[in-house]
Coordinates of all heavy atoms in Angstrom, one line a residue:
T1 N 94.4 141.6 152.5 CA 94.4 140.4 153.2 C 93.4 139.4 152.7 O 92.5 139.6 152.0 CB 94.0 140.8 154.7 OG1 92.8 141.4 154.7 CG2 95.0 141.7 155.3
R2 N 93.5 138.2 153.3 CA 92.7 137.0 153.0 C 92.4 136.1 154.2 O 92.0 135.1 154.1 CB 93.0 136.3 151.7 CG 94.4 135.8 151.8 CD 94.8 134.9 150.6 NE 94.0 133.7 150.6 CZ 93.3 133.3 149.6 NH1 93.2 133.9 148.5 NH2 92.7 132.1 149.6
G3 N 92.8 136.7 155.4 CA 92.6 135.8 156.6 C 91.3 135.3 156.9 O 91.1 134.2 157.2
A4 N 90.3 136.2 156.8 CA 88.8 135.7 157.0 C 88.5 134.6 156.0 O 88.0 133.6 156.5 CB 87.9 136.8 156.9
W5 N 88.8 134.7 154.8 CA 88.6 133.7 153.8 C 89.3 132.4 154.1 O 88.7 131.2 154.1 CB 88.9 134.2 152.4 CG 88.8 133.2 151.3 CD1 89.6 132.7 150.5 CD2 87.5 132.5 151.0 NE1 89.0 131.7 149.6 CE2 87.6 131.7 149.9 CE3 86.2 132.5 151.4 CZ2 86.7 130.8 149.4 CZ3 85.2 131.8 150.8 CH2 85.4 131.0 149.8
N6 N 90.5 132.4 154.5 CA 91.2 131.2 154.8 C 90.6 130.6 156.1 O 90.5 129.3 156.1 CB 92.8 131.6 155.3 CG 93.4 132.0 154.1 OD1 93.1 131.7 152.9 ND2 94.6 132.7 154.2
I7 N 90.2 131.3 157.2 CA 89.5 130.7 158.3 C 88.2 130.1 157.9 O 87.8 129.1 158.3 CB 89.3 131.8 159.3 CG1 90.6 132.2 159.9 CG2 88.3 131.3 160.4 CD1 90.5 133.5 160.9
V8 N 87.4 130.7 157.1 CA 86.1 130.2 156.6 C 86.3 128.8 155.9 O 85.4 127.9 156.1 CB 85.4 131.2 155.7 CG1 84.2 130.5 154.9 CG2 84.9 132.3 156.5
Q9 N 87.2 128.7 155.1 CA 87.5 127.5 154.3 C 87.6 126.3 155.2 O 87.3 125.1 154.9 CB 88.6 127.6 153.4 CG 88.3 128.6 152.3 CD 89.5 128.8 151.4 OE1 89.9 127.8 150.6 NE2 90.1 129.9 151.3
N10 N 88.1 126.5 156.4 CA 88.5 125.3 157.2 C 87.5 125.3 158.5 O 87.7 124.4 159.2 CB 89.9 125.4 157.8 CG 90.9 125.4 156.8 OD1 90.9 124.5 155.9 ND2 91.9 126.3 156.8
H11 N 86.5 126.0 158.5 CA 85.5 126.1 159.6 C 84.4 125.1 159.4 O 83.9 125.0 158.3 CB 85.0 127.6 159.8 CG 84.6 127.8 161.2 ND1 83.2 127.4 161.6 CD2 85.1 128.6 162.2 CE1 83.0 127.8 162.8 NE2 84.0 128.4 163.2
P12 N 83.9 124.5 160.5 CA 82.8 123.6 160.2 C 81.5 124.1 159.9 O 80.7 123.6 159.3 CB 82.7 122.8 161.5 CG 83.6 123.5 162.5 CD 84.6 124.4 161.8
A13 N 81.3 125.4 160.2 CA 80.1 126.2 159.8 C 80.1 126.6 158.4 O 79.0 127.1 158.0 CB 80.0 127.3 160.7
V14 N 81.0 126.4 157.7 CA 81.1 126.8 156.2 C 79.8 126.2 155.5 O 79.3 126.8 154.5 CB 82.4 126.4 155.5 CG1 82.5 125.0 155.2 CG2 82.6 127.2 154.1
G15 N 79.4 125.1 155.8 CA 78.2 124.3 155.1 C 76.9 125.1 155.4 O 76.0 124.9 154.6
E16 N 76.9 126.0 156.4 CA 75.6 126.8 156.6 C 75.6 128.1 155.8 O 74.6 128.7 155.8 CB 75.7 127.1 158.1 CG 75.6 126.0 159.0 CD 74.2 125.2 158.9 OE1 73.2 125.8 158.5 OE2 74.3 124.0 159.1
L17 N 76.8 128.4 155.2 CA 76.7 129.6 154.2 C 76.0 129.3 152.9 O 76.1 128.2 152.5 CB 78.1 130.1 154.1 CG 78.8 130.7 155.4 CD1 80.3 131.0 155.1 CD2 78.1 132.1 155.7
E18 N 75.5 130.4 152.3 CA 74.8 130.1 151.0 C 75.8 129.8 150.0 O 77.0 130.4 149.9 CB 74.0 131.4 150.6 CG 73.0 132.0 151.6 CD 73.7 133.3 152.2 OE1 74.2 134.1 151.5 OE2 73.5 133.4 153.4
T19 N 75.5 128.9 149.1 CA 76.4 128.4 148.0 C 76.7 129.6 147.1 O 77.9 129.8 146.8 CB 75.8 127.3 147.2 OG1 75.4 126.2 148.1 CG2 76.7 126.9 146.1
D20 N 75.9 130.5 146.7 CA 76.1 131.5 145.9 C 77.1 132.6 146.6 O 78.1 133.1 145.8 CB 74.8 132.3 145.5 CG 73.9 131.6 144.5 OD1 74.4 130.6 143.9 OD2 72.7 132.0 144.5
F21 N 76.9 132.8 147.8 CA 77.9 133.6 148.6 C 79.4 133.0 148.5 O 80.2 133.7 148.2 CB 77.3 133.8 150.1 CG 78.5 134.6 150.9 CD1 78.5 135.9 150.7 CD2 79.2 133.8 151.8 CE1 79.5 136.7 151.6 CE2 80.2 134.5 152.6 CZ 80.2 136.0 152.5
L22 N 79.4 131.8 148.7 CA 80.7 131.1 148.8 C 81.4 131.2 147.4 O 82.6 131.4 147.2 CB 80.6 129.7 149.3 CG 80.3 129.5 150.7 CD1 80.0 128.0 151.1 CD2 81.4 130.1 151.6
L23 N 80.6 130.9 146.3 CA 81.1 130.9 144.9 C 81.5 132.4 144.7 O 82.6 132.6 144.0 CB 80.0 130.5 143.9 CG 79.8 129.0 144.0 CD1 78.5 128.7 143.1 CD2 80.8 128.1 143.7
D24 N 80.6 133.4 144.9 CA 81.0 134.8 144.7 C 82.3 135.2 145.4 O 83.3 135.9 144.9 CB 79.9 135.7 144.9 CG 78.7 135.5 144.1 OD1 78.9 134.9 143.0 OD2 77.6 136.1 144.5
V25 N 82.5 134.9 146.6 CA 83.7 135.2 147.4 C 84.9 134.5 147.0 O 85.9 135.1 146.9 CB 83.3 134.9 148.9 CG1 84.7 135.0 149.8 CG2 82.2 135.8 149.5

């Protein structure tokens, strides 16, 4: 699955996640 990843990409709080985490994921 990739549902959580799809939700994260459109969520306003995505800017609060670490850049390295987002790149790795």
Side-chain angles (χ1 to χ4, degrees):
T1 59
R2 58 176 290 124
W5 178 238
N6 291 342
I7 289 169
V8 165
Q9 293 178 68
N10 297 317
H11 200 283
V14 72
E16 297 295 328
L17 292 168
E18 308 105 44
T19 303
D20 288 344
F21 175 74
L22 291 172
L23 291 172
D24 289 346
V25 170

